[in-house]
């Protein structure tokens, strides 16, 4: 009897461990399950949703950023490499210390952009846009001109 109880406990523990392991190998998120927040780092109008991981910590993360038409992110850098996929709308990215809408490249829905750690760049969104960002955290943003940082306003 005691042996069967021990086996049952071990079997339950093994099942729980394999269920936890399955979470490490597969995850899904439906669009209507996203929890959007207003990120102070990007200013009024932007919405942010964490898909996987924690962008403030070490390790892989996936997040989405939704912005209204006409939204701009002034020149800034990130402490990590950033991978950007345009899910809907248009993402205009340029490099340099000052936002210049005449320079840069426009990426349409389905397009991708890679931004290396420390590269100074800016973004303009002429239409409502959703981008997905992924990389290895911790992720952050440092504005070239501190006066552009919405967290300080």
């Amino acid at each position: 009897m005691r042996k069967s109880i021990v086996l049952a406990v071990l079997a339950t523990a093994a099942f729980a461990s394999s269920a936890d392991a399955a979470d490490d190998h597969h995850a899904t998120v439906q669009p209507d399950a996203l929890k959007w927040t207003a990120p102070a780092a990007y200013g009024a109008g932007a919405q942010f949703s964490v898909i996987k991981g924690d962008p403030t910590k070490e390790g892989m993360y996936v997040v989405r950023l939704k912005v209204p038409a006409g939204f701009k992110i002034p020149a800034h850098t990130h402490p990590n490499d950033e991978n950007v996929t345009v899910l809907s709308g248009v993402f205009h990215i340029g490099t340099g210390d000052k936002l210049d809408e005449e320079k840069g490249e426009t990426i349409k829905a389905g397009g991708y952009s890679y931004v290396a750690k420390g590269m100074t760049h800016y973004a303009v969104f002429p239409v409502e846009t959703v981008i997905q960002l992924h990389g290895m955290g911790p992720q952050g943003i440092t504005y070239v001109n501190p006066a552009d940082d919405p967290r300080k306003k």
Side-chain angles (χ1 to χ4, degrees):
M1 173 85 171
R2 187 170 199 198
K3 185 176 179 181
S4 62
I5 293 173
V6 170
L7 288 175
V9 170
L10 289 175
T12 303
F15 178 75
S17 294
S18 65
D20 291 342
D23 290 343
D24 291 341
H25 298 287
H26 179 78
T28 60
V29 177
Q30 297 298 335
D32 58 351
L34 296 177
K35 292 180 173 73
W36 294 95
T37 62
Y42 293 105
Q47 294 182 334
F48 190 79
S49 182
V50 176
I51 306 298
K52 182 147 178 62
D54 183 342
T56 66
K57 297 181 179 172
E58 293 282 332
M60 193 273 300
Y61 68 88
V62 179
V63 299
R64 290 194 183 161
L65 180 66
K66 180 172 30 175
V67 295
F71 196 82
K72 297 175 184 177
I73 303 174
H76 62 278
T77 62
H78 300 288
N80 63 312
D81 293 342
E82 184 175 66
N83 297 278
V84 182
T85 302
V86 181
L87 299 180
S88 65
V90 176
F91 170 58
H92 184 84
I93 184 170
T95 60
D97 290 345
K98 194 169 185 96
L99 192 148
D100 184 346
E101 294 184 51
E102 301 300 316
K103 296 181 180 175
E105 185 173 359
T106 299
I107 304 157
K108 299 175 188 170
Y112 166 84
S113 177
Y114 167 77
V115 180
K117 171 183 177 178
M119 184 183 97
T120 304
H121 62 288
Y122 51 85
V124 177
F125 302 89
V127 298
E128 181 178 82
T129 300
V130 177
I131 58 175
Q132 183 162 294
L133 305 118
H134 71 274
M136 297 299 288
Q139 191 265 356
I141 185 169
T142 303
Y143 290 91
V144 172
N145 179 353
D148 290 334
D149 190 336
R151 295 169 290 199
K152 297 180 179 179
K153 293 181 180 178

